[in-house]
Amino acid sequence: MLNVLAGCGPQTAVVPTLPDDRPATPASPTDYYITKYDGTIWAVTGTSITALTFAQWKAAGTPTPRPAPTSYVKYAWSPTISAVTIFGTDRSRWIWKHVSAAEWKKAGNPKPRNAGWIEGSTYYQWAGSSQIFVQDVGGTKHALTGAEWAAAGKPAFEKRTNQGFVKLSWNSSIAFLTDYAQGLGSPVSAARWKAEGSPTPVVRTRFPNDKVWQNYGSGTIYYSGPTVSKALTAAEYKALGSPRPEMRGTPPKPTTPPKPTAPPKPNFDKNCSDYPSQAAAQADFNKYYPWYGDVFGLDRDKDGIACESN
């Protein structure tokens, strides 16, 4: 059975060949069947299919049920097995069940057939990606090929427009963004990525709200983003586009305090005679010059050397 289901999608109802060649519609007004994998007895008429309780079956006179026309199917890429019982040509008369290992064993370990579409499958697409994924009733996820999507009947899929998997063009770490537009997310392990069906990540040079920064007085430049946080090599910084880094730890600009004040000489009013050595004056000059210029006037000839007379 279900060799024809391999090309059957949710939009097309194709009647499989039943394994015992019984007619799909019962001949009598009410017929009774039993699904071997779980022992459920079904009362089937031309207009209804009902799973009976023991009391209902007893009230009906304990009729002997026939084996239900059931076959077992799975996706080629998944271990999940589903049972499908066919009671008519319309798909509303098909009973689908994800069977457990114990139920499959109870049914006699029947060999499952590969199918293109199975009831209960969920189809979706991540933000920024053209891949279509399917999750089967057992939770296994898979990236569909074009042929597999066509075999499923080209079903509609959910567009998850603000979530997805991403990576940087210059780093191999993959992250899952919970907010794609804002660049919010965190790195994922190889195991998590594989469990998601190994989605091809969207590649970007940078992400919204990431940071490029360095500490004041240090030449090391850092990157912080959803995929990775690290000190950049020269090649990585260039691949990033060589953006101007945010400077952290910058000292506050000296200000002239109100007068009178103690000590007598204000902090902002310094000259070379206030320093014990040229090196001390140069250190103060280097501290403020990158951001505020020569705030104390220690480099009169503008050659970058403070208090040469010291």
Side-chain angles (χ1 to χ4, degrees):
M1 179 189 138
L2 287 202
N3 50 326
V4 292
L5 266 186
C8 171
Q11 291 81 17
T12 308
V14 178
V15 183
T17 301
L18 301 178
D20 54 4
D21 292 324
R22 285 195 177 92
T25 303
S28 59
T30 301
D31 223 339
Y32 297 88
Y33 296 89
I34 184 170
T35 42
K36 190 175 182 180
Y37 57 81
D38 64 358
T40 298
I41 296 176
W42 302 85
V44 180
T45 71
T47 58
S48 66
I49 302 169
T50 306
L52 300 180
T53 64
F54 178 79
Q56 289 171 327
W57 175 63
K58 187 175 181 181
T62 62
T64 301
R66 291 188 286 169
T70 303
S71 194
Y72 298 83
V73 295
K74 64 182 288 295
Y75 289 122
W77 40 265
S78 174
T80 302
I81 298 175
S82 291
V84 55
T85 302
I86 311 295
F87 289 124
T89 58
D90 193 282
R91 280 181 53 239
S92 65
R93 297 179 66 84
W94 297 7
I95 306 299
W96 289 88
K97 172 71 184 298
H98 167 211
V99 295
S100 66
E103 288 172 329
W104 181 58
K105 184 177 181 180
K106 187 175 181 179
N109 301 321
K111 184 177 180 180
R113 302 194 182 200
N114 290 336
W117 172 83
I118 295 174
E119 177 76 25
S121 300
T122 302
Y123 296 86
Y124 56 94
Q125 186 180 68
W126 295 116
S129 174
S130 61
Q131 286 183 301
I132 299 173
F133 286 81
V134 58
Q135 177 177 322
D136 70 12
V137 290
T140 302
K141 300 171 184 177
H142 175 71
L144 293 169
T145 64
E148 288 171 335
W149 186 51
K154 297 183 178 181
F157 53 88
E158 174 193 0
K159 293 187 177 182
R160 300 177 179 178
T161 56
N162 205 31
Q163 293 184 329
F165 290 84
V166 297
K167 70 177 292 293
L168 291 162
S169 59
W170 47 271
N171 186 272
S172 60
S173 298
I174 297 174
F176 178 71
L177 297 187
T178 54
D179 190 325
Y180 192 86
Q182 295 298 316
L184 301 179
S186 58
V188 295
S189 66
R192 161 78 190 283
W193 177 70
K194 186 176 181 181
E196 291 289 344
S198 304
T200 301
V202 177
V203 179
R204 295 285 185 267
T205 302
R206 295 191 64 177
F207 299 109
N209 298 312
D210 62 6
K211 303 292 183 184
V212 180
W213 57 278
Q214 67 183 128
N215 290 315
Y216 185 80
S218 171
T220 302
I221 299 175
Y222 297 87
Y223 173 85
S224 296
T227 63
V228 70
S229 295
K230 69 183 300 290
L232 297 173
T233 66
E236 289 172 334
Y237 181 58
K238 184 178 180 181
L240 197 59
S242 304
R244 182 175 181 176
E246 169 196 343
M247 191 63 68
R248 298 182 180 180
T250 304
K253 183 177 182 178
T255 59
T256 303
K259 296 181 181 182
T261 186
K265 189 180 292 296
N267 177 50
F268 188 62
D269 186 15
K270 288 187 178 183
N271 57 48
C272 289
S273 63
D274 293 316
Y275 296 97
S277 66
Q278 190 277 330
Q282 188 69 46
D284 225 10
F285 175 84
N286 292 344
K287 178 179 180 180
Y288 296 107
Y289 186 82
W291 289 96
Y292 310 117
D294 186 7
V295 293
F296 300 128
L298 305 180
D299 181 19
R300 300 297 183 184
D301 58 2
K302 311 297 182 184
D303 65 353
I305 301 175
C307 300
E308 294 178 82
S309 61
N310 281 22

